[in-house]
Amino acid sequence: NAGVTQTPKFRILKIGQSMTLQCAQDMNHNYMYWYRQDPGMGLKLIYYSVGAGITDKGEVPNGYNVSRSTTEDFPLRLELAAPSQTSVYFCASSGTPGGFNYGYTFGSGTRLTVV
Amino acid sequence: QKEVEQNSGPLSVPEGAIASLNCTYSDRGSQSFFWYRQYSGKSPELIMSIYSNGDKEDGRFTAQLNKASQYVSLLIRDSQPSDSATYLCAVVRAGNQFYFGTGTSLTVIP
């Protein structure tokens, strides 16, 4: 049971480039989330999804897009990368709304640097 | 006012001592409370959950919840160097909104 799998683990982008961060879970969870974590700033929600075909913005969605075509996959797209998007990105999933009762399962993270 | 507040630390305790980590939250309607441990460069991992007032024990960890005071704490007994990490408090509000604190850095000194 792999849980939540994120790829790539590390990436360096040039300003203005685009990329997709991949996230897949094999727990049949309906709820999936993308967070970014900056040093000393905690986890900030970028986008979330409550099921296939349904996505919504979180606290810091600007510069990002998501899609959810299947229950398993929740990719995060960065368009026109900017230095402010340098961060560690975590994908998470839960079997209950908002992680109620059981919390979240996190992927191992993607460390992105924009230069 | 932040949804979830934690003292960022760093908190240093000697090996074998009790480490006490604290968290306050703003919404009285909050329903679920979690503690995550995050080692440097790694993802958060769930270590404790608590839903009712009082104490919940799991091995060397005890979570304490006081809804009247809007206060959650985590006690780590017999602290070990391997407990050195950042501890994140998380709260689920009414409406299933999930909020993380910014974390408390703990160092256990051998």
Side-chain angles (χ1 to χ4, degrees):
Chain A
N1 190 340
V4 179
T5 302
Q6 286 185 242
T7 56
K9 294 190 182 303
F10 304 93
R11 184 71 185 269
I12 298 174
L13 277 183
K14 294 184 178 180
I15 294 171
Q17 288 185 321
S18 300
M19 75 164 294
T20 299
L21 282 65
Q22 301 292 343
C23 176
Q25 52 91 11
D26 61 0
M27 297 172 285
N28 202 32
H29 284 171
N30 282 328
Y31 305 90
M32 296 187 74
Y33 314 86
W34 274 105
Y35 285 89
R36 62 176 286 172
Q37 187 176 39
D38 301 320
M41 298 299 291
L43 289 156
K44 293 190 181 297
L45 183 64
I46 305 171
Y47 270 95
Y48 66 98
S49 170
V50 301
I54 306 170
T55 62
D56 208 347
K57 296 177 180 179
E59 184 181 1
V60 290
N62 291 343
Y64 307 95
N65 276 300
V66 293
S67 60
R68 185 95 182 269
S69 58
T70 67
T71 299
E72 295 78 17
D73 300 301
F74 190 41
L76 177 71
R77 178 80 177 165
L78 278 71
E79 304 283 1
L80 300 175
S84 61
Q85 293 177 305
T86 294
S87 190
V88 179
Y89 292 83
F90 289 106
C91 179
S93 73
S94 67
T96 54
F100 183 69
N101 273 350
Y102 301 107
Y104 289 176
T105 299
F106 282 88
S108 58
T110 296
R111 187 175 297 273
L112 176 67
T113 302
V114 181
V115 296
Chain B
Q1 184 183 6
K2 291 182 179 179
E3 298 288 344
V4 180
E5 299 213 46
Q6 294 181 254
N7 186 331
S8 61
L11 174 65
S12 294
V13 299
E15 184 174 355
I18 296 175
S20 178
L21 305 162
N22 304 315
C23 171
T24 58
Y25 59 94
S26 62
D27 183 20
R28 286 192 172 275
S30 298
Q31 302 167 308
S32 299
F33 308 87
F34 304 92
W35 283 99
Y36 285 82
R37 177 177 62 200
Q38 186 175 24
Y39 292 114
S40 180
K42 302 295 186 182
S43 60
E45 57 177 324
L46 181 65
I47 55 171
M48 289 289 289
S49 60
I50 187 166
Y51 314 110
S52 304
N53 278 329
D55 294 0
K56 178 181 178 182
E57 186 174 320
D58 184 359
R60 295 186 296 111
F61 298 97
T62 299
Q64 299 175 318
L65 175 60
N66 184 326
K67 289 188 177 181
S69 300
Q70 296 173 237
Y71 179 92
V72 191
S73 65
L74 179 70
L75 301 178
I76 306 175
R77 291 182 300 280
D78 188 24
S79 294
Q80 301 297 309
S82 59
D83 296 324
S84 297
T86 296
Y87 289 80
L88 302 172
C89 174
V91 173
V92 180
R93 285 182 54 178
N96 299 318
Q97 297 295 312
F98 200 102
Y99 293 93
F100 286 93
T102 54
T104 298
S105 175
L106 172 67
T107 300
V108 180
I109 303 168

